[in-house]
Amino acid sequence: MKKWIQTFVPDKDLFFLPETNLASFKEYLSNVLVVPHEEFKNHSTYKQVQLANSYEYWNLSKEVKYVLVTPPGWVDQLPVEKKTELLHIQVRVGRGIIHPISAFSVDISFLSENTIEVNGEKYLVLHKEMWEELSYTSKQDLMTDIAQEWEEWTCYDVPPQTPPHLLSFANSFPSRAGSNCLSATLFAITKQEWIIHEWVHPQTFLQSLENEDYHLTSPENMRAGDVLTWENADGIIQHASYCIDGHFFFNKRGQTFFNAWSIVHFDDLKEDWGHYHMKSFRKHS
């Protein structure tokens, strides 16, 4: 929890704008970097996994043409009507670290200056300076509720056949972002602990399966040690998981630190990923 609190709200405040909205903020941009979105997407500084996860780049509207990179507190220096306008835009374009107030189990009325109402729903918009001003208890309460927006905190018991190297990770959360389903699966088959913390991409994953002598097999009669993948229509892997005993799997649903390394049943995987094409891999003896 301490690690989550330290890194969830990034040091860089980012605000995303469609082209038609940039002129509205022109007089407030003297101490701001205005980065064209196409350049932003290819900039090594902004491609860091924690920035991507916090701001949920994958949810951003295609309308976004500019990114305002601002120092902490800049947004609070805007006139009230301009701040309100900016926060409305952030909800509309799908910026991350914005959460519906209905998701919180604790009273957040003291954060009213950073809430906005859009289409009848009230949202809390997080940014660095306001986050730093909160007490640790408030941060912990908010973080607990935010984490459960990503996954319910429920899991299956660890099966008796679970390999020993998975025991310290099963049904636990990472402390930093990056680990995804592919790295979790590769750790399961290689026993190389450092790999579980990597952000592995599909081609690297397939190359590693080949290196470990895993080959396509029939998905019938799954057994311990098998690897399942789910591919989209373009043949790109969207998910992978490691079979523990034919029914239960060692799994990670995403690359955020809110996605646990968890024990799931095959039925859960079918529910989440069944609309993709499933493949099964088995290590040659």
Side-chain angles (χ1 to χ4, degrees), residues 164-195:
H165 68 289
L166 299 182
L167 294 177
S168 62
F169 291 93
N171 296 336
S172 70
F173 288 98
S175 61
R176 62 181 187 265
S179 173
N180 63 358
C181 62
L182 303 183
S183 61
T185 302
L186 289 184
F187 164 62
I189 68 177
T190 65
K191 303 181 183 180
Q192 298 297 311
E193 185 171 320
W194 68 273
I195 290 178

Side-chain angles (χ1 to χ4, degrees), residues 6-270:
Q6 288 171 5
T7 58
F8 178 59
V9 179
D11 292 333
K12 296 180 186 297
D13 285 335
L14 305 180
F15 299 96
F16 302 87
L17 293 178
E19 188 167 14
T20 54
N21 295 111
L22 182 62
S24 179
F25 297 93
K26 186 174 181 180
E27 65 182 286
Y28 309 105
L29 302 179
S30 60
N31 62 335
V32 169
L33 282 177
V34 181
V35 184
H37 192 225
E38 287 304 311
E39 187 170 89
F40 176 88
K41 290 189 292 186
N42 295 311
H43 197 301
S44 59
T45 296
Y46 307 121
K47 290 169 74 173
Q48 297 172 38
V49 64
Q50 187 54 60
L51 280 175
N53 285 347
S54 291
Y55 287 109
E56 299 178 38
Y57 292 169
W58 57 88
N59 284 331
L60 287 171
S61 167
K62 292 181 179 179
E63 290 183 82
V64 170
K65 297 300 180 184
Y66 296 99
V67 184
L68 306 185
V69 183
T70 76
W74 172 83
V75 67
D76 285 332
Q77 303 305 313
L78 293 173
V80 172
E81 69 277 7
K82 299 309 290 186
K83 179 178 178 180
T84 299
E85 179 184 350
L86 183 64
L87 298 189
H88 265 100
I89 294 169
Q90 300 316 292
V91 174
R92 177 163 60 86
V93 300
R95 174 191 186 267
I97 50 176
I98 297 178
H99 302 275
I101 289 179
S102 58
F104 295 109
S105 62
V106 293
D107 179 18
I108 62 167
S109 57
F110 66 100
L111 294 173
S112 59
E113 291 184 1
N114 291 288
T115 61
I116 194 74
E117 184 170 332
V118 179
N119 297 326
E121 176 78 82
K122 290 185 177 180
Y123 296 88
L124 173 65
V125 181
L126 298 177
H127 59 88
K128 187 62 173 180
E129 186 169 272
M130 63 86 71
W131 185 250
E132 290 303 311
E133 291 174 352
L134 296 179
S135 69
Y136 183 83
T137 299
S138 293
K139 292 176 184 176
Q140 189 174 41
D141 289 342
L142 292 174
M143 191 61 63
T144 299
D145 286 338
I146 289 169
Q148 291 178 78
E149 289 180 46
W150 291 82
E151 285 190 18
E152 294 182 6
W153 286 7
T154 59
C155 58
Y156 293 94
D157 292 337
V158 178
Q161 287 181 243
T162 303
H165 68 289
L166 299 182
L167 294 177
S168 62
F169 291 93
N171 296 336
S172 70
F173 288 98
S175 61
R176 62 181 187 265
S179 173
N180 63 358
C181 62
L182 303 183
S183 61
T185 302
L186 289 184
F187 164 62
I189 68 177
T190 65
K191 303 181 183 180
Q192 298 297 311
E193 185 171 320
W194 68 273
I195 290 178
I196 201 172
H197 302 292
E198 294 294 298
W199 189 10
V200 174
H201 288 212
Q203 291 303 312
T204 303
F205 178 77
L206 288 171
Q207 183 63 56
S208 298
L209 285 185
E210 183 179 326
N211 294 346
E212 293 297 319
D213 206 22
Y214 270 74
H215 299 270
L216 276 171
T217 186
S218 169
E220 307 294 330
N221 301 315
M222 289 179 296
R223 69 188 191 197
D226 286 356
V227 167
L228 297 186
T229 64
W230 286 263
E231 295 180 352
N232 66 13
D234 295 322
I236 299 172
I237 294 175
Q238 304 299 298
H239 191 67
S241 197
Y242 174 83
C243 185
I244 292 174
D245 63 0
H247 302 284
F248 289 97
F249 288 73
F250 181 70
N251 189 68
K252 194 171 190 294
R253 291 183 65 191
Q255 76 272 13
T256 78
F257 44 41
F258 299 138
N259 299 120
W261 295 298
S262 57
I263 302 300
V264 301
H265 193 275
F266 180 61
D267 290 344
D268 301 317
L269 293 171
K270 285 195 297 183

